[in-house]
Amino acid sequence: MAEDLVLDTAIRDWVLIPLSVVMVLIGILRYFVSKLMRSSPTPDAKMVKEGQVVIRARNLKVGANFIPPRSFRTRRFYFTNEENGLLHVPKGEAPTNPQAAMFSDPNMAMDMMKKNLSMIIPQTLTFAWVNFFFSGFVAAKIPFPLTQRFRSMLQNGIDLSTVDVSYVSSRSWYFLNLFGLRGLFSLILGDENAIDDTQRMMQMGGFGFDASKSLGAEKDGLDIIQHEWALPRFEQRAESVLRKLVK
Amino acid sequence: MGSVEKRSKDVMSDIPTFSAENLQNNLKVIQNSRTFLSIIAGVLAGIIGFNGLTGFVFYFVVMLITSVGLMAKAGFSADLYFDSLNRVLFDGFLGGLMSFVLFWTFAYDLVHIF
């Protein structure tokens, strides 16, 4: 039966709006808390040096075609030289697995744990709160129809099976808010820190600044480059540009 | 809404050079505009009372309008400001969808059901 249910105004006042407001506030709170709790780890001098070398090598790769061939070759030699080139890591002293180092380093582990906790705890708490207080009634109607299979997911507290699937419980309103407020946060909180949970969880997987591998990769990258000087006759070009300006 | 787009590419040089910082700024501008417009579109769709598929069609229409607007702002020569044309047109489409659905549901319920 697809007739329109008329829902109590009190539901709107005391369920929908407070839930959204609470979630927005918790998001803002979490942002500020994570800002306060961000501990600055003392950087390891060797890692920083290697990082900078990698950055320099990358700059060389990007700008390779703008410098005359000989200067490019000199620079490349400086980096990839077999004896004392910066990027060449002798096989014997490849650094130990950085992942292991990272986990045994107490600072890093604490940081990761803090980030994880600050994400999971408010979500769990809010979810439990929603379940406790707001279960057992129809909370909202979603404007588009879904198939019957979603019924068990969306209509969790409602025990009638003849109600249209569009009428959902407050749990699904919670999930809808969870995903939909990401955009709002990115507008309110400024651009960089509009991190949402799913993105962070994906980032957690690929960690590990593996120094030796990246150095080796950069070295190979530099070796591969064919230098093609892109500004071979720039004096003539400069002359023509200036002439155009003067005319 | 800051919609200043800076040139990422220098016209004079024959080789493509990009100023990474400007490129990133331009992308951020696109994302902001899309998010904002998807929220507004959600509220509008809810108030008008779109149902089902019509609402999603409305969302795509608004996204297309956004693309056209951005192209107009960029003077229709997108490769001055972005590295690939597809980015301008299709970047934040699905990201705004969830916000659109949330605000659509919200407005629809406020106006029609309660």
Side-chain angles (χ1 to χ4, degrees):
Chain A
M1 50 191 94
E3 68 225 3
D4 276 347
L5 293 182
V6 176
L7 298 171
D8 197 358
T9 317
I11 299 186
R12 171 187 64 186
D13 292 339
W14 294 100
V15 173
L16 287 195
I17 298 187
L19 192 53
S20 298
V21 166
V22 162
M23 290 188 75
V24 169
L25 288 179
I26 286 188
I28 297 183
L29 191 68
R30 180 168 42 175
Y31 166 69
F32 283 122
V33 164
S34 77
K35 245 193 174 176
L36 285 177
M37 287 207 317
R38 195 172 299 172
S39 63
S40 53
T42 55
D44 180 19
K46 184 159 181 290
M47 299 271 278
V48 169
K49 225 166 66 164
E50 280 169 0
Q52 298 289 46
V53 166
V54 167
I55 292 180
R56 278 173 65 189
R58 270 198 211 136
N59 282 340
L60 179 62
K61 233 197 301 190
V62 165
N65 290 331
F66 293 111
I67 47 181
R70 209 167 126 221
S71 355
F72 173 67
R73 274 199 284 270
T74 326
R75 286 177 172 82
R76 183 165 68 176
F77 184 71
Y78 176 64
F79 277 116
T80 63
N81 184 16
E82 288 295 311
E83 285 115 45
N84 52 4
L86 293 183
L87 292 183
H88 182 66
V89 177
K91 299 287 186 183
E93 42 166 274
T96 58
N97 191 5
Q99 286 245 337
M102 201 172 292
F103 282 126
S104 65
D105 185 12
N107 260 337
M108 272 286 196
M110 273 302 291
D111 251 353
M112 270 173 41
M113 253 184 45
K114 265 191 240 170
K115 272 193 224 150
N116 271 332
L117 281 185
S118 80
M119 250 191 301
I120 294 183
I121 285 190
Q123 264 194 355
T124 325
L125 280 181
T126 318
F127 190 53
W129 177 61
V130 165
N131 269 338
F132 179 61
F133 277 112
F134 299 129
S135 59
F137 55 89
V138 170
K141 175 177 195 285
I142 47 180
F144 48 91
L146 290 173
T147 62
Q148 294 296 320
R149 267 185 287 165
F150 286 100
R151 179 187 287 273
S152 62
M153 190 165 63
L154 296 176
Q155 280 191 346
N156 218 302
I158 309 169
D159 293 323
L160 306 171
S161 57
T162 53
V163 175
D164 210 358
V165 191
S166 302
Y167 291 96
V168 299
S169 69
S170 36
R171 197 187 279 195
S172 48
W173 176 247
Y174 167 73
F175 280 116
L176 198 61
N177 264 316
L178 193 62
F179 291 123
L181 284 178
R182 271 192 262 163
L184 194 66
F185 283 145
S186 79
L187 285 183
I188 300 181
L189 298 178
D191 295 311
E192 332 88 29
N193 258 319
I195 299 226
D196 47 321
D197 314 325
T198 50
Q199 258 182 16
R200 264 222 204 130
M201 281 195 273
M202 283 193 288
Q203 269 177 13
M204 285 289 158
F207 238 119
F209 174 63
D210 197 351
S212 68
K213 259 192 247 156
S214 57
L215 287 187
E218 288 299 328
K219 172 165 177 287
D220 292 336
L222 271 186
D223 278 336
I224 289 180
I225 294 185
Q226 303 271 13
H227 180 256
E228 236 191 67
W229 196 20
L231 313 173
R233 296 178 358 200
F234 51 90
E235 303 113 347
Q236 278 87 337
R237 226 177 59 136
E239 180 202 353
S240 62
V241 166
L242 283 175
R243 271 190 208 279
K244 258 190 265 175
L245 283 179
V246 163
K247 250 191 257 186
Chain B
M1 188 166 27
S3 47
V4 175
E5 297 190 352
K6 312 186 202 150
R7 289 180 169 236
S8 324
K9 193 158 82 157
D10 188 11
V11 189
M12 302 285 274
S13 57
D14 310 320
I15 342 108
T17 54
F18 293 108
S19 154
E21 184 185 306
N22 284 351
L23 189 65
Q24 225 171 4
N25 183 43
N26 293 348
L27 286 177
K28 236 185 283 183
V29 164
I30 301 183
Q31 203 142 12
N32 276 348
S33 348
R34 280 199 198 273
T35 317
F36 193 61
L37 273 178
S38 65
I39 293 182
I40 304 259
V43 174
L44 265 182
I47 295 182
I48 301 183
F50 284 128
N51 251 321
L53 209 54
T54 328
F56 286 111
V57 167
F58 181 65
Y59 174 67
F60 281 113
V61 165
V62 168
M63 282 294 123
L64 281 175
I65 295 183
T66 323
S67 300
V68 170
L70 283 170
M71 288 294 288
K73 176 81 183 176
F76 283 109
S77 59
D79 47 319
L80 269 190
Y81 295 98
F82 302 101
D83 52 354
S84 81
L85 191 65
N86 285 333
R87 279 239 226 163
V88 175
L89 299 183
F90 300 123
D91 188 20
F93 253 64
L94 296 182
L97 189 64
M98 291 311 299
S99 310
F100 171 76
V101 167
L102 171 69
F103 281 94
W104 181 20
T105 312
F106 198 46
Y108 185 83
D109 284 346
L110 285 186
V111 171
H112 292 269
I113 305 289
F114 291 114

